[in-house]
Amino acid sequence: MGLRARYITWPLGQQLQLTFITTGFLISLIVVIITQTQLDWLKSKMLDKSESVLKSSLSHQMTILAREKGRVVEQYLNNYFDLAYSIRELDAMMLGLRGYSEPIIVPNSPVWHDKNTDVMVKNQYGETVDYLTGVFMSPNENSLSDEGTEIVNDHAAMDQLYPTLFRNNTIYAIYTGFATDEIIHEYPGKVFTDTSYTPIVEEWYYKADEYKGYPVVTESYTNTETNTTIFTISTALVVNSSTYSVAAVDVTLYELDQALKDVTVLEDGFIILTSPKGINIIQPSTWDYLGTTAKIYEVTLGLSQSKWLDLVVNPDDTELNTFKDINGTVYYYVIEPVRPYADITNVTHYLLVCAKKENTLKPRDDLSNNFTKSYKIIFWVVFSIAITVFIIIALFIHFITSKISAQLKRIDKVFYKIIRRGLFSSITKGQNTAKLEEYQNGMESIVDSVLEKIEFIKFKEEKFSYYEWGITRPKDVMITHRWENRLYPLNLHHDKQMSWRHVLPKLTKISKKKLNST
């Protein structure tokens, strides 16, 4: 017997219970699956959107930081621009180039670099210097021209101002170079080991000569004697459209280190200050072993020389880019040009604000972890509600169908008794309908139909009483067939067991199980 056949033989109450409980279970399961699917979709959307929002926010914040620190570097350079301008103007006054008839400061006797070694002391860089006065040096010291001698005698007055202008830790040296006799006057005083040194071939001199009227910034370089990284800011003193001298200041990285190197972007990010040629001036401490001449595009992957040149050409590009450092760590970066000049847009340096990609994803990972916790709570709450609702519905259906089954059993018993008396002349004899009426609540129409059918059978019985039946029914074939077609589920016209949905409306068929039991 197949499942469907077995199902048909079950009592109606059990059929209803199985149908409704299975349906309730499937609906609860569908609700749980939909909830899980929606939560997975929501998590995916949230993480995708959060990564996009975080990246956009990071780009915005890094750009703001880059601009802020870029202005700090610009102000820092402007301070030394002003110092270079001041030294240049003081040079002009000491040299009598500003129209003063008498010297503003009576100069001391000029001191040459190799004549004052007794008062020299060690500075913080390990170099032997004289903080009391500056010194002169020229490859032509023993054969100075008259103009050169006059420059040395007049410019010696600056030795009284140099100690005031000098700033320990931040300034490495102050000096002025002349094309005349290739003279240089430098403070603090020191002994020049290279007596053939000439200022006119130095970058700080010929660049200032090229860009007359503007301060220039040289590439950073390391003093080989003291292993100190410095860069020079210089400006030319112009007389009759020609460069008369160049005032210069050697600046250490002390203040820039304080302003930039200690900045931490997120947890492991940093700031890089580099020159237009890509030479790193300020770099993370993990790169220090590369030295001070490391180029940004040589120590990173993803930031090639061609990419760097593109950034130099388009310095205002604030797009968030990535590169890998020498340790293989991926970083996001934004670039900010440093323009310290008031009236021109020349870029002296580039500032790169770098954030470790792994750190930028931490908020997203935290969101994912928090959502996962909420996800579990929501899922189990929905699952518990679904199970609870399912159990309540199952119990409700059980009690309802049990009541309906009890009512239908009463109807079943009535017809069962009729069947048992099917061979007798009065088959409705002894039928007590009081119990049937007692259980009719909720199914009055069915009970009324059953009662009506019983009355109809009684009517038939009374109608055929004309034949004066005895103990059993008449043997007349036509009459017997007529009764069979009315009362029996298995007859000439109906050879299959009928379901309740056919029995209840017509009240002409009964359960095969009950029939077989007779």
Side-chain angles (χ1 to χ4, degrees):
M1 183 181 293
L3 292 177
R4 190 170 183 276
R6 288 178 180 275
Y7 175 78
I8 292 174
T9 61
W10 289 359
L12 179 61
Q14 291 184 10
Q15 293 183 23
L16 291 175
Q17 288 179 18
L18 178 63
T19 300
F20 286 112
I21 291 175
T22 303
T23 302
F25 173 78
L26 292 176
I27 292 174
S28 300
L29 182 62
I30 290 171
V31 170
V32 171
I33 293 174
I34 290 175
T35 301
Q36 184 178 17
T37 303
Q38 288 294 316
L39 288 174
D40 289 339
W41 174 84
L42 181 61
K43 180 179 180 181
S44 176
K45 284 291 183 182
M46 286 180 62
L47 293 181
D48 292 343
K49 189 66 177 178
S50 65
E51 186 171 353
S52 174
V53 171
L54 286 171
K55 189 174 180 180
S56 175
S57 176
L58 175 67
S59 176
H60 178 68
Q61 295 298 325
M62 288 175 64
T63 300
I64 292 175
L65 178 61
R67 288 175 180 172
E68 177 188 341
K69 293 304 179 181
R71 302 300 83 78
V72 169
V73 176
E74 289 174 0
Q75 185 59 51
Y76 171 83
L77 294 175
N78 272 309
N79 291 340
Y80 289 101
F81 285 176
D82 292 341
L83 178 60
Y85 283 137
S86 299
I87 295 170
R88 183 190 66 186
E89 291 306 308
L90 289 172
D91 286 344
M93 287 187 285
M94 298 305 111
L95 294 169
L97 300 176
R98 291 295 183 255
Y100 297 102
S101 57
E102 297 292 333
I104 298 176
I105 298 175
V106 178
N108 297 326
S109 298
V111 178
W112 290 89
H113 72 102
D114 55 351
K115 300 296 192 295
N116 198 34
T117 57
D118 294 340
V119 296
M120 290 186 176
V121 295
K122 290 279 187 180
N123 63 11
Q124 68 267 40
Y125 308 111
E127 190 176 25
T128 303
V129 297
D130 181 2
Y131 286 110
L132 300 177
T133 184
V135 295
F136 288 91
M137 205 287 293
S138 170
N140 306 306
E141 177 183 348
N142 298 322
S143 57
L144 291 179
S145 63
D146 293 340
E147 183 181 1
T149 301
E150 183 179 359
I151 288 173
V152 170
N153 291 332
D154 291 341
H155 203 263
M158 289 296 294
D159 287 337
Q160 300 178 51
L161 300 177
Y162 280 147
T164 303
L165 298 173
F166 187 79
R167 303 173 194 171
N168 203 14
N169 291 330
T170 61
I171 296 178
Y172 186 80
I174 300 173
Y175 46 89
T176 300
F178 301 86
T180 303
D181 292 327
E182 301 173 29
I183 297 169
I184 184 170
H185 187 194
E186 181 172 335
Y187 177 87
K190 67 174 185 179
V191 177
F192 283 81
T193 56
D194 182 8
T195 56
S196 63
Y197 177 85
T198 174
I200 60 175
V201 298
E202 298 294 336
E203 181 185 10
W204 58 267
Y205 190 98
Y206 65 73
K207 275 195 172 181
D209 181 37
E210 181 181 355
Y211 297 99
K212 294 179 176 65
Y214 292 101
V216 296
V217 183
T218 68
E219 289 282 357
S220 62
Y221 60 95
T222 301
N223 185 302
T224 55
E225 296 179 1
T226 62
N227 198 33
T228 304
T229 302
I230 57 179
F231 62 91
T232 304
I233 296 174
S234 59
T235 183
L237 173 60
V238 180
V239 177
N240 297 326
S241 301
S242 298
T243 298
Y244 187 82
S245 64
V246 174
V249 182
D250 283 345
V251 183
T252 69
L253 301 181
Y254 178 78
E255 286 184 330
L256 280 178
D257 270 338
Q258 296 295 315
L260 302 180
K261 204 166 186 179
D262 291 338
V263 175
T264 301
V265 183
L266 297 182
E267 295 181 9
D268 302 304
F270 46 79
I271 292 179
I272 300 173
L273 183 68
T274 185
S275 70
K277 292 183 178 179
I279 299 176
N280 294 337
I281 300 172
I282 301 294
Q283 62 187 13
S285 56
T286 54
W287 295 11
D288 285 347
Y289 73 92
L290 297 170
T292 56
T293 59
K295 293 183 179 180
I296 185 69
Y297 50 80
E298 291 177 347
V299 297
T300 58
L301 296 175
L303 186 55
S304 61
Q305 185 173 7
S306 60
K307 176 66 174 178
W308 175 255
L309 294 177
D310 288 341
L311 292 173
V312 171
V313 173
N314 302 294
D316 295 308
D317 180 13
T318 58
E319 182 181 355
L320 194 65
N321 296 293
T322 60
F323 70 78
K324 281 186 180 181
D325 72 356
I326 53 178
N327 301 312
T329 305
V330 180
Y331 287 89
Y332 286 121
Y333 74 91
V334 294
I335 188 167
E336 176 69 13
V338 177
R339 298 185 175 98
Y341 300 103
D343 53 348
I344 58 176
T345 59
N346 288 34
V347 177
T348 60
H349 299 87
Y350 292 92
L351 198 73
L352 281 79
V353 175
C354 309
K356 195 174 181 180
K357 186 176 181 180
E358 180 181 337
N359 296 149
T360 65
L361 298 178
K362 185 176 180 181
R364 188 202 67 174
D365 295 337
D366 292 340
L367 175 64
S368 177
N369 293 334
N370 292 333
F371 186 88
T372 299
K373 294 177 182 178
S374 302
Y375 171 96
K376 291 179 179 179
I377 294 173
I378 294 172
F379 175 79
W380 285 112
V381 166
V382 172
F383 182 79
S384 300
I385 292 173
I387 291 296
T388 303
V389 170
F390 169 71
I391 292 173
I392 292 172
I393 292 174
L395 291 173
F396 179 76
I397 291 172
H398 171 73
F399 291 123
I400 294 297
T401 55
S402 296
K403 180 181 177 182
I404 294 173
S405 288
Q407 292 173 317
L408 293 176
K409 281 181 180 179
R410 289 294 170 182
I411 298 173
D412 193 41
K413 285 182 179 180
V414 170
F415 287 103
Y416 178 68
K417 289 181 179 180
I418 293 174
I419 292 170
R420 288 178 64 91
R421 294 183 55 83
L423 297 177
F424 297 94
S425 58
S426 181
I427 62 176
T428 59
K429 182 179 180 180
Q431 293 295 336
N432 184 5
T433 60
K435 287 279 186 180
L436 195 61
E437 294 175 357
E438 183 181 343
Y439 283 87
Q440 70 175 346
N441 186 25
M443 50 189 308
E444 290 85 353
S445 61
I446 296 177
V447 172
D448 290 342
S449 298
V450 170
L451 294 174
E452 182 180 344
K453 189 65 177 179
I454 292 173
E455 290 299 323
F456 176 76
I457 295 172
K458 285 182 178 180
F459 171 75
K460 286 291 185 180
E461 289 176 332
E462 292 173 357
K463 184 177 179 182
F464 282 97
S465 63
Y466 169 78
Y467 293 96
E468 297 180 355
W469 291 346
I471 299 176
T472 62
R473 293 189 178 201
K475 296 183 179 180
D476 185 274
V477 175
M478 296 300 296
I479 296 175
T480 303
H481 283 180
R482 192 171 179 185
W483 276 97
E484 285 177 349
N485 293 334
R486 291 285 183 175
L487 297 177
Y488 294 97
L490 298 177
N491 54 62
L492 296 178
H493 303 284
H494 300 284
D495 58 354
K496 294 183 179 179
Q497 184 177 1
M498 297 300 174
S499 64
W500 273 109
R501 63 190 182 93
H502 293 100
V503 172
L504 292 178
K506 297 180 179 180
L507 294 175
T508 57
K509 303 169 182 66
I510 59 176
S511 170
K512 181 181 178 181
K513 180 178 179 182
K514 297 296 183 181
L515 183 62
N516 291 336
S517 65
T518 61

